Amino acid sequence: MTSVLLFLDIDGTLIPFGGPGPHPVHGTSPHPLLPRLDPALGPRLRALGAELVWATTWLDDANDLLSPWLGLPALPVVRWPDVDDVDDEDDEDADGPGGAGLHWKTRPLVEWAAGRPFVWVDDEISGADRAWVADRHPGPALLHRVDHRLGLVDADLAELGEWIRSRGEAR
């Protein structure tokens, strides 16, 4: 059976940004953002039973910095197309990179998934992304928006886990 892909954004998703008061600190690191990231999140992400994939502009830095911090192995990394390589001519919702209201990650993630079931966790997902994916991706997909002020929290993980288990395809 094909496993569910879990596309992970970092900034505002795993590492909270904004919000009232200081963020919790989880250890020390020469990188100023890593202490905002709870290392306990790594085992919780693995326990979801999906195939984890970095979907972030951190690219290989995600494996170099975050994977060890979270106790994760090196994960596949989505390589983003150059803006000049995006062909929007045949899309009625296009008005530049990504299309009208469409996040620039949406198309590459659907292409990467290649029909497989997937979850995309990000703090910038919109209704336009959900509609575009529903119209163009043949498999099940959950586009889950995280509150950037809090990052991924227990309620998010519970929803992701339930969705992945309901597919009956988690490893």
Side-chain angles (χ1 to χ4, degrees):
M1 235 179 215
T2 304
S3 65
V4 174
L5 294 166
L6 175 51
F7 293 118
L8 295 167
D9 177 50
I10 294 174
D11 295 324
T13 303
L14 299 184
I15 298 175
F17 277 93
H23 295 283
V25 175
H26 306 278
T28 59
S29 167
H31 192 287
L33 297 178
L34 285 185
R36 290 186 187 183
L37 181 55
D38 184 355
L41 190 55
R44 296 184 74 192
L45 289 168
R46 287 185 83 173
L48 293 172
E51 182 181 331
L52 305 178
V53 178
W54 291 124
T56 173
T57 57
W58 285 58
L59 298 172
D60 293 321
D61 287 343
N63 279 322
D64 295 341
L65 297 169
L66 274 73
S67 288
W69 185 267
L70 293 170
L72 296 174
L75 303 177
V77 177
V78 175
R79 302 287 172 196
W80 308 112
D82 289 332
V83 173
D84 296 338
D85 294 339
V86 177
D87 180 13
D88 292 330
E89 288 184 23
D90 61 349
D91 241 336
E92 69 282 353
D93 60 359
D95 69 349
L102 198 63
H103 195 286
W104 60 268
K105 292 180 181 177
T106 306
R107 294 169 198 232
L109 293 180
V110 168
E111 185 176 317
W112 178 288
R116 290 176 62 184
F118 75 87
V119 176
W120 173 22
V121 183
D122 204 304
D123 64 316
E124 297 179 347
I125 293 169
S126 71
D129 302 304
R130 289 185 182 97
W132 195 92
V133 170
D135 190 44
R136 290 167 177 83
H137 181 65
L142 172 65
L143 280 64
H144 184 81
R145 184 174 179 139
V146 172
D147 184 336
H148 67 93
R149 298 166 299 179
L150 305 174
L152 202 60
V153 296
D154 290 344
D156 297 309
L157 289 164
E159 184 176 337
L160 301 178
E162 182 178 322
W163 191 90
I164 292 166
R165 283 188 301 280
S166 76
R167 305 282 86 55
E169 299 165 340
R171 295 195 238 189

